[in-house]
Amino acid sequence: GVGLISIDNLVTGFEAFPNLNITHADIVNIDKKLAPFLVSYFGELLSGLYFPDIKYVFEGSYIDFETVIPYLQKQRGSRIEIIGLTCNQLSEEELFNCIRKYDSKYDWTTRRNDEELKLVVHDLMELNHDFTNKFNEYHIKSYDTSLNREEVFEKILAELP
């Protein structure tokens, strides 16, 4: 089996403990604050001690590359594959339209009006470029989902061990 772990959902859980000061609102420092927890959490899940046959997909953008990625790279093997996803070939307007196209009732984007989401998309454009640079720096295979999104996802699934 495969377990999906959303880092964004973990942050939402941490927001129930204000003394931890881990919130979605702290975009500048959240990755550093979350890193010790993620290393410990990933280590526990990847140890295979409790569920040795389950592989995990960790998704989200709150990754401290300097702490978390080197740890995960040391753990590589049959239980972990690190990939990156970007949308660098889209304009802001195209990315906004893509997000709206794939919105589901479970996505946080559905709770944003168009103007609010357009502000977020502006920041996402910069984040995409930053992540592309980090993926290159840490030799992480990345996929651009700007065009032919479904085909790219099929390719990823086919290439995973």
mmCIF file of all heavy atoms in Angstrom, residues 5-38:
data_model
loop_
_atom_site.group_PDB
_atom_site.id
_atom_site.type_symbol
_atom_site.label_atom_id
_atom_site.label_comp_id
_atom_site.label_asym_id
_atom_site.label_seq_id
_atom_site.Cartn_x
_atom_site.Cartn_y
_atom_site.Cartn_z
ATOM 1 N N ILE A 5 0.983 11.512 2.956
ATOM 2 C CA ILE A 5 1.167 12.402 4.097
ATOM 3 C C ILE A 5 1.257 13.832 3.570
ATOM 4 O O ILE A 5 2.189 14.175 2.849
ATOM 5 C CB ILE A 5 2.468 12.084 4.882
ATOM 6 C CG1 ILE A 5 2.553 10.597 5.242
ATOM 7 C CG2 ILE A 5 2.588 12.994 6.089
ATOM 8 C CD1 ILE A 5 1.512 10.101 6.195
ATOM 9 N N SER A 6 0.290 14.649 3.923
ATOM 10 C CA SER A 6 0.276 16.049 3.508
ATOM 11 C C SER A 6 0.946 16.894 4.584
ATOM 12 O O SER A 6 0.445 16.984 5.713
ATOM 13 C CB SER A 6 -1.165 16.526 3.295
ATOM 14 O OG SER A 6 -1.177 17.928 3.161
ATOM 15 N N ILE A 7 2.060 17.500 4.231
ATOM 16 C CA ILE A 7 2.764 18.353 5.186
ATOM 17 C C ILE A 7 1.903 19.559 5.538
ATOM 18 O O ILE A 7 1.876 19.999 6.691
ATOM 19 C CB ILE A 7 4.140 18.768 4.627
ATOM 20 C CG1 ILE A 7 5.009 17.511 4.453
ATOM 21 C CG2 ILE A 7 4.820 19.775 5.539
ATOM 22 C CD1 ILE A 7 6.296 17.732 3.721
ATOM 23 N N ASP A 8 1.140 20.067 4.578
ATOM 24 C CA ASP A 8 0.236 21.183 4.862
ATOM 25 C C ASP A 8 -0.780 20.804 5.935
ATOM 26 O O ASP A 8 -1.102 21.606 6.819
ATOM 27 C CB ASP A 8 -0.495 21.620 3.594
ATOM 28 C CG ASP A 8 0.427 22.279 2.584
ATOM 29 O OD1 ASP A 8 1.596 22.532 2.921
ATOM 30 O OD2 ASP A 8 -0.028 22.545 1.460
ATOM 31 N N ASN A 9 -1.297 19.572 5.882
ATOM 32 C CA ASN A 9 -2.248 19.133 6.900
ATOM 33 C C ASN A 9 -1.591 18.997 8.267
ATOM 34 O O ASN A 9 -2.223 19.261 9.295
ATOM 35 C CB ASN A 9 -2.908 17.811 6.495
ATOM 36 C CG ASN A 9 -3.897 17.974 5.367
ATOM 37 O OD1 ASN A 9 -4.286 19.087 5.008
ATOM 38 N ND2 ASN A 9 -4.304 16.875 4.777
ATOM 39 N N LEU A 10 -0.328 18.580 8.284
ATOM 40 C CA LEU A 10 0.391 18.515 9.562
ATOM 41 C C LEU A 10 0.495 19.909 10.183
ATOM 42 O O LEU A 10 0.299 20.086 11.388
ATOM 43 C CB LEU A 10 1.790 17.924 9.371
ATOM 44 C CG LEU A 10 1.861 16.454 8.975
ATOM 45 C CD1 LEU A 10 3.303 16.061 8.664
ATOM 46 C CD2 LEU A 10 1.280 15.570 10.061
ATOM 47 N N VAL A 11 0.796 20.896 9.351
ATOM 48 C CA VAL A 11 0.893 22.277 9.843
ATOM 49 C C VAL A 11 -0.449 22.728 10.403
ATOM 50 O O VAL A 11 -0.505 23.350 11.470
ATOM 51 C CB VAL A 11 1.385 23.234 8.734
ATOM 52 C CG1 VAL A 11 1.271 24.681 9.169
ATOM 53 C CG2 VAL A 11 2.824 22.899 8.357
ATOM 54 N N THR A 12 -1.517 22.396 9.721
ATOM 55 C CA THR A 12 -2.849 22.741 10.224
ATOM 56 C C THR A 12 -3.061 22.121 11.604
ATOM 57 O O THR A 12 -3.602 22.767 12.512
ATOM 58 C CB THR A 12 -3.943 22.266 9.241
ATOM 59 O OG1 THR A 12 -3.738 22.937 7.993
ATOM 60 C CG2 THR A 12 -5.331 22.569 9.764
ATOM 61 N N GLY A 13 -2.616 20.895 11.795
ATOM 62 C CA GLY A 13 -2.700 20.260 13.119
ATOM 63 C C GLY A 13 -1.880 20.988 14.162
ATOM 64 O O GLY A 13 -2.328 21.177 15.303
ATOM 65 N N PHE A 14 -0.680 21.425 13.792
ATOM 66 C CA PHE A 14 0.168 22.159 14.737
ATOM 67 C C PHE A 14 -0.454 23.489 15.151
ATOM 68 O O PHE A 14 -0.171 24.004 16.230
ATOM 69 C CB PHE A 14 1.562 22.405 14.161
ATOM 70 C CG PHE A 14 2.471 21.211 14.222
ATOM 71 C CD1 PHE A 14 3.070 20.722 13.069
ATOM 72 C CD2 PHE A 14 2.742 20.587 15.420
ATOM 73 C CE1 PHE A 14 3.905 19.623 13.121
ATOM 74 C CE2 PHE A 14 3.580 19.485 15.492
ATOM 75 C CZ PHE A 14 4.158 18.999 14.330
ATOM 76 N N GLU A 15 -1.270 24.054 14.286
ATOM 77 C CA GLU A 15 -1.912 25.327 14.624
ATOM 78 C C GLU A 15 -2.828 25.206 15.835
ATOM 79 O O GLU A 15 -3.165 26.207 16.463
ATOM 80 C CB GLU A 15 -2.670 25.883 13.418
ATOM 81 C CG GLU A 15 -1.729 26.412 12.352
ATOM 82 C CD GLU A 15 -2.427 26.989 11.142
ATOM 83 O OE1 GLU A 15 -3.563 26.572 10.827
ATOM 84 O OE2 GLU A 15 -1.832 27.875 10.500
ATOM 85 N N ALA A 16 -3.200 23.985 16.204
ATOM 86 C CA ALA A 16 -4.009 23.767 17.410
ATOM 87 C C ALA A 16 -3.183 23.982 18.677
ATOM 88 O O ALA A 16 -3.740 24.046 19.774
ATOM 89 C CB ALA A 16 -4.602 22.357 17.401
ATOM 90 N N PHE A 17 -1.867 24.091 18.520
ATOM 91 C CA PHE A 17 -0.951 24.304 19.646
ATOM 92 C C PHE A 17 -0.210 25.619 19.433
ATOM 93 O O PHE A 17 0.931 25.629 18.967
ATOM 94 C CB PHE A 17 0.034 23.138 19.758
ATOM 95 C CG PHE A 17 -0.633 21.807 19.889
ATOM 96 C CD1 PHE A 17 -0.877 21.009 18.770
ATOM 97 C CD2 PHE A 17 -1.041 21.350 21.134
ATOM 98 C CE1 PHE A 17 -1.504 19.792 18.892
ATOM 99 C CE2 PHE A 17 -1.665 20.118 21.268
ATOM 100 C CZ PHE A 17 -1.906 19.337 20.144
ATOM 101 N N PRO A 18 -0.837 26.749 19.757
ATOM 102 C CA PRO A 18 -0.249 28.066 19.451
ATOM 103 C C PRO A 18 1.140 28.271 20.050
ATOM 104 O O PRO A 18 1.951 28.997 19.487
ATOM 105 C CB PRO A 18 -1.242 29.054 20.046
ATOM 106 C CG PRO A 18 -2.454 28.285 20.383
ATOM 107 C CD PRO A 18 -2.113 26.844 20.429
ATOM 108 N N ASN A 19 1.428 27.612 21.161
ATOM 109 C CA ASN A 19 2.749 27.784 21.790
ATOM 110 C C ASN A 19 3.885 27.271 20.900
ATOM 111 O O ASN A 19 5.033 27.671 21.060
ATOM 112 C CB ASN A 19 2.788 27.104 23.155
ATOM 113 C CG ASN A 19 2.499 25.615 23.073
ATOM 114 O OD1 ASN A 19 1.553 25.194 22.399
ATOM 115 N ND2 ASN A 19 3.294 24.819 23.748
ATOM 116 N N LEU A 20 3.586 26.398 19.926
ATOM 117 C CA LEU A 20 4.616 25.896 19.007
ATOM 118 C C LEU A 20 4.967 26.915 17.938
ATOM 119 O O LEU A 20 6.027 26.835 17.322
ATOM 120 C CB LEU A 20 4.149 24.597 18.346
ATOM 121 C CG LEU A 20 3.948 23.401 19.273
ATOM 122 C CD1 LEU A 20 3.414 22.215 18.486
ATOM 123 C CD2 LEU A 20 5.244 23.048 19.979
ATOM 124 N N ASN A 21 4.054 27.849 17.692
ATOM 125 C CA ASN A 21 4.265 28.905 16.700
ATOM 126 C C ASN A 21 4.588 28.349 15.310
ATOM 127 O O ASN A 21 5.444 28.869 14.603
ATOM 128 C CB ASN A 21 5.350 29.880 17.182
ATOM 129 C CG ASN A 21 5.268 31.202 16.462
ATOM 130 O OD1 ASN A 21 4.210 31.585 15.969
ATOM 131 N ND2 ASN A 21 6.386 31.898 16.380
ATOM 132 N N ILE A 22 3.911 27.256 14.954
ATOM 133 C CA ILE A 22 4.030 26.676 13.619
ATOM 134 C C ILE A 22 2.690 26.901 12.939
ATOM 135 O O ILE A 22 1.701 26.239 13.250
ATOM 136 C CB ILE A 22 4.383 25.177 13.678
ATOM 137 C CG1 ILE A 22 5.754 24.984 14.327
ATOM 138 C CG2 ILE A 22 4.348 24.558 12.283
ATOM 139 C CD1 ILE A 22 6.153 23.538 14.532
ATOM 140 N N THR A 23 2.666 27.864 12.008
ATOM 141 C CA THR A 23 1.419 28.218 11.347
ATOM 142 C C THR A 23 1.644 28.460 9.862
ATOM 143 O O THR A 23 2.758 28.777 9.434
ATOM 144 C CB THR A 23 0.796 29.500 11.944
ATOM 145 O OG1 THR A 23 1.581 30.620 11.543
ATOM 146 C CG2 THR A 23 0.720 29.442 13.461
ATOM 147 N N HIS A 24 0.573 28.326 9.106
ATOM 148 C CA HIS A 24 0.635 28.633 7.672
ATOM 149 C C HIS A 24 0.976 30.107 7.441
ATOM 150 O O HIS A 24 1.523 30.459 6.398
ATOM 151 C CB HIS A 24 -0.706 28.323 6.994
ATOM 152 C CG HIS A 24 -1.021 26.870 6.923
ATOM 153 N ND1 HIS A 24 -0.391 26.008 6.061
ATOM 154 C CD2 HIS A 24 -1.913 26.109 7.618
ATOM 155 C CE1 HIS A 24 -0.880 24.791 6.207
ATOM 156 N NE2 HIS A 24 -1.798 24.817 7.150
ATOM 157 N N ALA A 25 0.660 30.951 8.413
ATOM 158 C CA ALA A 25 0.888 32.394 8.255
ATOM 159 C C ALA A 25 2.372 32.756 8.277
ATOM 160 O O ALA A 25 2.762 33.806 7.780
ATOM 161 C CB ALA A 25 0.153 33.159 9.357
ATOM 162 N N ASP A 26 3.209 31.895 8.832
ATOM 163 C CA ASP A 26 4.646 32.181 8.964
ATOM 164 C C ASP A 26 5.412 31.576 7.795
ATOM 165 O O ASP A 26 6.241 30.682 7.969
ATOM 166 C CB ASP A 26 5.160 31.634 10.291
ATOM 167 C CG ASP A 26 6.599 32.027 10.563
ATOM 168 O OD1 ASP A 26 7.139 32.892 9.846
ATOM 169 O OD2 ASP A 26 7.191 31.451 11.489
ATOM 170 N N ILE A 27 5.154 32.049 6.614
ATOM 171 C CA ILE A 27 5.732 31.461 5.400
ATOM 172 C C ILE A 27 7.258 31.543 5.390
ATOM 173 O O ILE A 27 7.931 30.672 4.871
ATOM 174 C CB ILE A 27 5.129 32.126 4.151
ATOM 175 C CG1 ILE A 27 3.670 31.735 4.065
ATOM 176 C CG2 ILE A 27 5.888 31.776 2.900
ATOM 177 C CD1 ILE A 27 2.971 32.087 2.816
ATOM 178 N N VAL A 28 7.825 32.571 6.002
ATOM 179 C CA VAL A 28 9.271 32.764 5.964
ATOM 180 C C VAL A 28 10.021 31.724 6.796
ATOM 181 O O VAL A 28 11.057 31.216 6.380
ATOM 182 C CB VAL A 28 9.635 34.192 6.435
ATOM 183 C CG1 VAL A 28 11.130 34.370 6.519
ATOM 184 C CG2 VAL A 28 9.017 35.225 5.520
ATOM 185 N N ASN A 29 9.493 31.361 7.969
ATOM 186 C CA ASN A 29 10.243 30.508 8.894
ATOM 187 C C ASN A 29 9.653 29.117 9.103
ATOM 188 O O ASN A 29 10.247 28.308 9.803
ATOM 189 C CB ASN A 29 10.328 31.193 10.261
ATOM 190 C CG ASN A 29 11.038 32.508 10.182
ATOM 191 O OD1 ASN A 29 12.155 32.591 9.690
ATOM 192 N ND2 ASN A 29 10.391 33.561 10.645
ATOM 193 N N ILE A 30 8.513 28.847 8.529
ATOM 194 C CA ILE A 30 7.828 27.596 8.849
ATOM 195 C C ILE A 30 8.660 26.369 8.500
ATOM 196 O O ILE A 30 8.672 25.390 9.234
ATOM 197 C CB ILE A 30 6.434 27.538 8.189
ATOM 198 C CG1 ILE A 30 5.641 26.375 8.764
ATOM 199 C CG2 ILE A 30 6.549 27.466 6.699
ATOM 200 C CD1 ILE A 30 4.194 26.390 8.369
ATOM 201 N N ASP A 31 9.384 26.386 7.394
ATOM 202 C CA ASP A 31 10.162 25.217 7.006
ATOM 203 C C ASP A 31 11.237 24.894 8.043
ATOM 204 O O ASP A 31 11.457 23.731 8.378
ATOM 205 C CB ASP A 31 10.762 25.388 5.614
ATOM 206 C CG ASP A 31 11.652 26.613 5.475
ATOM 207 O OD1 ASP A 31 11.515 27.558 6.278
ATOM 208 O OD2 ASP A 31 12.463 26.636 4.529
ATOM 209 N N LYS A 32 11.881 25.910 8.587
ATOM 210 C CA LYS A 32 12.918 25.689 9.605
ATOM 211 C C LYS A 32 12.318 25.175 10.909
ATOM 212 O O LYS A 32 12.897 24.314 11.578
ATOM 213 C CB LYS A 32 13.677 26.990 9.878
ATOM 214 C CG LYS A 32 14.350 27.580 8.662
ATOM 215 C CD LYS A 32 15.723 27.022 8.460
ATOM 216 C CE LYS A 32 16.445 27.743 7.355
ATOM 217 N NZ LYS A 32 16.752 26.883 6.231
ATOM 218 N N LYS A 33 11.150 25.729 11.287
ATOM 219 C CA LYS A 33 10.494 25.297 12.525
ATOM 220 C C LYS A 33 10.000 23.861 12.422
ATOM 221 O O LYS A 33 10.008 23.122 13.392
ATOM 222 C CB LYS A 33 9.319 26.215 12.850
ATOM 223 C CG LYS A 33 9.732 27.615 13.244
ATOM 224 C CD LYS A 33 8.508 28.469 13.487
ATOM 225 C CE LYS A 33 8.875 29.895 13.832
ATOM 226 N NZ LYS A 33 7.664 30.725 13.990
ATOM 227 N N LEU A 34 9.574 23.466 11.248
ATOM 228 C CA LEU A 34 9.000 22.147 11.039
ATOM 229 C C LEU A 34 10.062 21.067 10.822
ATOM 230 O O LEU A 34 9.802 19.885 11.050
ATOM 231 C CB LEU A 34 8.072 22.218 9.820
ATOM 232 C CG LEU A 34 6.996 21.184 9.649
ATOM 233 C CD1 LEU A 34 6.090 21.106 10.874
ATOM 234 C CD2 LEU A 34 6.172 21.495 8.411
ATOM 235 N N ALA A 35 11.256 21.439 10.417
ATOM 236 C CA ALA A 35 12.295 20.483 10.015
ATOM 237 C C ALA A 35 12.621 19.424 11.072
ATOM 238 O O ALA A 35 12.659 18.230 10.734
ATOM 239 C CB ALA A 35 13.560 21.221 9.590
ATOM 240 N N PRO A 36 12.846 19.773 12.336
ATOM 241 C CA PRO A 36 13.168 18.712 13.310
ATOM 242 C C PRO A 36 12.046 17.674 13.447
ATOM 243 O O PRO A 36 12.304 16.478 13.544
ATOM 244 C CB PRO A 36 13.372 19.470 14.624
ATOM 245 C CG PRO A 36 13.673 20.868 14.221
ATOM 246 C CD PRO A 36 12.935 21.106 12.939
ATOM 247 N N PHE A 37 10.813 18.164 13.438
ATOM 248 C CA PHE A 37 9.687 17.232 13.505
ATOM 249 C C PHE A 37 9.668 16.325 12.278
ATOM 250 O O PHE A 37 9.498 15.107 12.399
ATOM 251 C CB PHE A 37 8.352 17.979 13.622
ATOM 252 C CG PHE A 37 7.163 17.091 13.396
ATOM 253 C CD1 PHE A 37 6.713 16.260 14.414
ATOM 254 C CD2 PHE A 37 6.530 17.055 12.163
ATOM 255 C CE1 PHE A 37 5.638 15.396 14.202
ATOM 256 C CE2 PHE A 37 5.466 16.201 11.943
ATOM 257 C CZ PHE A 37 5.005 15.376 12.964
ATOM 258 N N LEU A 38 9.819 16.907 11.082
ATOM 259 C CA LEU A 38 9.745 16.109 9.859
ATOM 260 C C LEU A 38 10.834 15.045 9.805
ATOM 261 O O LEU A 38 10.568 13.905 9.416
ATOM 262 C CB LEU A 38 9.815 17.004 8.621
ATOM 263 C CG LEU A 38 8.597 17.875 8.355
ATOM 264 C CD1 LEU A 38 8.816 18.742 7.122
ATOM 265 C CD2 LEU A 38 7.337 17.043 8.209
#
